[in-house]
Amino acid sequence: MNTTTHTAKAAAKPVIGHCLRCRRALTNPSPDGYGPKCRTMIRRAARAEVVAQYKPHQIEKAQELIEQGGLIPLRANRVFLAASSDGSTAYRTHRAACTCPAGIRGLHPCKHRIAAHLLSIAA
């Protein structure tokens, strides 16, 4: 394939709009108005802010819960069904509340809430 054919195919894509962050032309529809690279950068920055507010051992437990598939989305990646440590009980969790004993006491966010928060940002 020569360069003129490749350039002609690239120019044939219609421009739908422009990225709200970098103003590059968007050739695919975007529900949030950002291009794929900018969307990734924004999510990464938001995740870094979320991670900064929790203690490292809490984040490790939440990531372990996510990696083991301990969270099942119930409603549009906002409410999750979370498994207990021994797997015998399931709790309903959201990034703001959880039905586990630690979540009900509410002194510190539980690992279920942190995991739900991380997943809601990634979605």
Side-chain angles (χ1 to χ4, degrees), residues 46-55 59 63 118:
R47 187 176 175 119
E49 287 179 23
V50 169
V51 169
Q53 68 184 349
Y54 300 118
K55 295 178 182 176
I59 295 167
Q63 288 176 338
L118 292 173

Side-chain angles (χ1 to χ4, degrees), residues 33-115:
Y34 296 109
K37 290 181 182 178
C38 290
R39 185 178 307 111
T40 302
M41 290 173 60
I42 291 169
R43 285 184 180 163
R44 198 173 289 150
R47 187 176 175 119
E49 287 179 23
V50 169
V51 169
Q53 68 184 349
Y54 300 118
K55 295 178 182 176
H57 73 278
Q58 292 175 314
I59 295 167
E60 288 175 17
K61 288 182 179 182
Q63 288 176 338
E64 184 180 336
L65 180 69
I66 293 169
E67 289 170 1
Q68 292 178 349
L71 283 182
I72 301 168
L74 291 178
R75 284 189 231 142
N77 288 331
R78 293 182 184 211
V79 177
F80 297 90
L81 195 62
S84 64
S85 297
D86 61 0
S88 64
T89 311
Y91 308 110
R92 287 187 184 216
T93 188
H94 181 268
R95 67 186 219 180
C98 184
T99 60
C100 74
I104 291 172
R105 279 185 252 127
L107 298 175
H108 301 286
C110 64
K111 67 180 179 182
H112 309 116
R113 282 180 54 189
I114 297 170

